[in-house]
Amino acid sequence: MERTGYLPCTFMDDTSRSLQARVAAILFFLHVQSRKIQEIPQSCKVLLSTIPLQRCLVYTGRMSSTFTIRDIVNEDATASVSDYGAHVLSWAPAGEQTVVWRPKAIHLKEGTAIRGGVPIIFPWFNSGFEGGHVASKKPKHGFARNSFWHYDKEGSSDALLRYTLDSSEINADILSQFVSGPNPQFHAVYTIEVGCELTMSLTVYNDGDEPLSYEEALHTYLQVGDAEQSQVCGLEGTDYLDTVLDGDPRCNQGNEPVTFQGMVDRIYYSADTLELRDPVLQRTIIVAKQGAAQTVVWNPGEQAGNAIGDLDEGEWRGFVCVEAVNNRDCAVVVPPHESHTLQQTLSVRH
């Protein structure tokens, strides 16, 4: 069953330009602008409901399938989260510009990852890594970001969202690609704490009797005024794999911060707290990690950025990715009936 949609600050079925879809899009745009609930005709197949300090939009696409976006509002911050992928779409502390970046248009389609925000990368990074070599696992970056996670209403509030995903819900052919064996048994719990800081925690429990091995990342897009004027500090002197170059050679950062003149795609061997300094927006984003052995830093640069199909020309300038990661030789191995937590916390300093 295919689920599809399109969000350019509104939700629309991009396969239908019907009057109903356009009316629904306009009404939701007004909702976002005013942060007031609008009365939506049932025939538009766009439903809005409210719970205390948390609004929920359910988009109904073709064949009555749904995507749910939760709009979190409390005294310390605002955020939006998609149940599809348990995907943080945006976050801004009160009185601040958006910190977690998302593009102008978000495409919603089952089996396709959402661009921007914080995709959950699990259980392999990119096409995976096995036997000392880059593998060819599919889907790219694993299945977590392409899965409908279960929203735990009882375990959630206006400041905390809790999601779960179980291996029993994943196709056996996809599960067979785990390095640790063809029949992994696990469940994952993902919590999102929305406040003056944003803390995202992915805990994977090994429910089987054999060790569970996997790669993971919190692929965080951070909003900047101009990527080419931004710097990541705290990685000075750190070794990294440069995946832009053939053979992914191991390099050293030297004593200078990371800058973005052209494509940057690097896996740093560092778990340190980092600073993303942004002279255009006149702020520093602090990125702290726990349970991560590495940090990925990425921006596609002009040529590759403008070639990304679901981004408008020039949108690549608006973000820098700084990600808590365990991949390749730092893949996680969880003993039977134990667990591992990967955590990343964002904050802002002026």
Side-chain angles (χ1 to χ4, degrees):
M1 183 179 295
E2 186 180 41
R3 314 172 190 216
T4 184
Y6 178 72
L7 170 65
C9 201
T10 61
F11 275 74
M12 295 180 63
D13 185 340
D14 60 357
T15 64
S16 171
R17 297 300 175 183
S18 67
L19 178 61
Q20 289 182 341
R22 294 181 184 184
V23 170
I26 292 168
L27 288 173
F28 180 57
F29 176 78
L30 293 174
H31 159 68
V32 171
Q33 297 301 311
S34 65
R35 289 203 173 274
K36 295 179 181 178
I37 298 299
Q38 306 290 331
E39 184 176 351
I40 307 296
Q42 282 265 334
S43 60
C44 291
K45 295 187 177 180
V46 176
L47 309 177
L48 294 176
S49 62
T50 58
I51 58 177
L53 293 179
Q54 179 175 308
R55 301 185 179 93
C56 170
L57 180 135
V58 178
Y59 167 72
T60 304
R62 290 186 293 172
M63 302 181 71
S64 299
S65 300
T66 59
F67 292 82
T68 303
I69 308 295
R70 302 182 188 277
D71 187 11
I72 313 305
V73 182
N74 60 46
E75 63 181 7
D76 294 319
T78 59
S80 57
V81 181
S82 167
D83 287 3
Y84 179 68
H87 192 127
V88 176
L89 297 173
S90 65
W91 168 70
E96 293 281 351
Q97 296 189 57
T98 297
V99 175
V100 172
W101 177 90
R102 71 182 185 190
K104 296 174 184 177
I106 292 178
H107 300 257
L108 299 177
K109 183 177 181 181
E110 187 172 7
T112 301
I114 299 172
R115 176 73 62 184
V118 187
I120 300 173
I121 308 305
F122 172 85
W124 50 83
F125 189 92
N126 206 326
S127 58
F129 195 80
E130 194 166 356
H133 302 282
V134 174
S136 56
K137 302 173 190 281
K138 294 182 179 180
K140 180 181 178 181
H141 284 321
F143 53 76
R145 64 179 188 161
N146 298 338
S147 297
F148 285 86
W149 290 60
H150 296 285
Y151 173 66
D152 180 1
K153 184 177 180 179
E154 298 302 320
S156 301
S157 69
D158 67 308
L160 174 69
L161 281 75
R162 185 178 187 273
Y163 288 93
T164 61
L165 186 68
D166 193 279
S167 57
S168 63
E169 303 167 291
I170 308 302
N171 182 281
D173 289 340
I174 295 178
L175 287 178
S176 68
Q177 299 175 84
F178 267 79
V179 175
S180 51
N183 187 33
Q185 299 177 53
F186 66 87
H187 70 279
V189 177
Y190 189 53
T191 58
I192 305 161
E193 300 174 56
V194 179
C196 299
E197 299 180 340
L198 177 70
T199 298
M200 300 161 288
S201 304
L202 174 65
T203 301
V204 177
Y205 297 84
N206 182 0
D207 300 325
D209 296 324
E210 301 293 334
L212 181 72
S213 179
Y214 59 87
E215 298 176 290
E216 60 179 351
L218 298 177
H219 182 25
T220 309
Y221 288 71
L222 300 172
Q223 179 161 305
V224 295
D226 183 354
E228 291 189 332
Q229 297 185 53
S230 302
Q231 298 181 337
V232 175
C233 301
L235 292 168
E236 292 81 359
T238 302
D239 284 353
Y240 65 90
L241 303 180
D242 193 336
T243 64
V244 173
L245 303 177
D246 290 341
D248 303 348
R250 191 166 183 129
C251 307
N252 186 272
Q253 179 59 34
N255 295 322
E256 67 283 347
V258 182
T259 56
F260 302 90
Q261 306 299 318
M263 180 185 288
V264 172
D265 192 358
R266 301 171 182 173
I267 304 169
Y268 284 87
Y269 287 85
S270 171
D272 292 342
T273 296
L274 306 178
E275 297 183 355
L276 174 57
R277 296 179 182 174
D278 182 352
V280 176
L281 298 184
Q282 298 182 338
R283 68 182 183 186
T284 297
I285 300 173
I286 311 299
V287 183
K289 304 177 287 295
Q290 292 184 8
Q294 300 157 307
T295 301
V296 164
V297 178
W298 176 68
N299 177 273
E302 182 175 10
Q303 183 175 355
N306 286 335
I308 296 175
D310 53 0
L311 294 184
D312 285 351
E313 184 172 348
E315 280 199 279
W316 62 272
R317 287 188 178 274
F319 68 84
V320 166
C321 288
V322 181
E323 316 169 30
V325 178
N326 293 300
N327 76 351
R328 299 199 178 194
D329 54 325
C330 294
V332 175
V333 180
V334 182
H337 310 296
E338 295 189 18
S339 66
H340 175 269
T341 298
L342 174 68
Q343 184 179 95
Q344 184 160 279
T345 297
L346 306 178
S347 58
V348 178
R349 186 183 71 220
H350 289 279

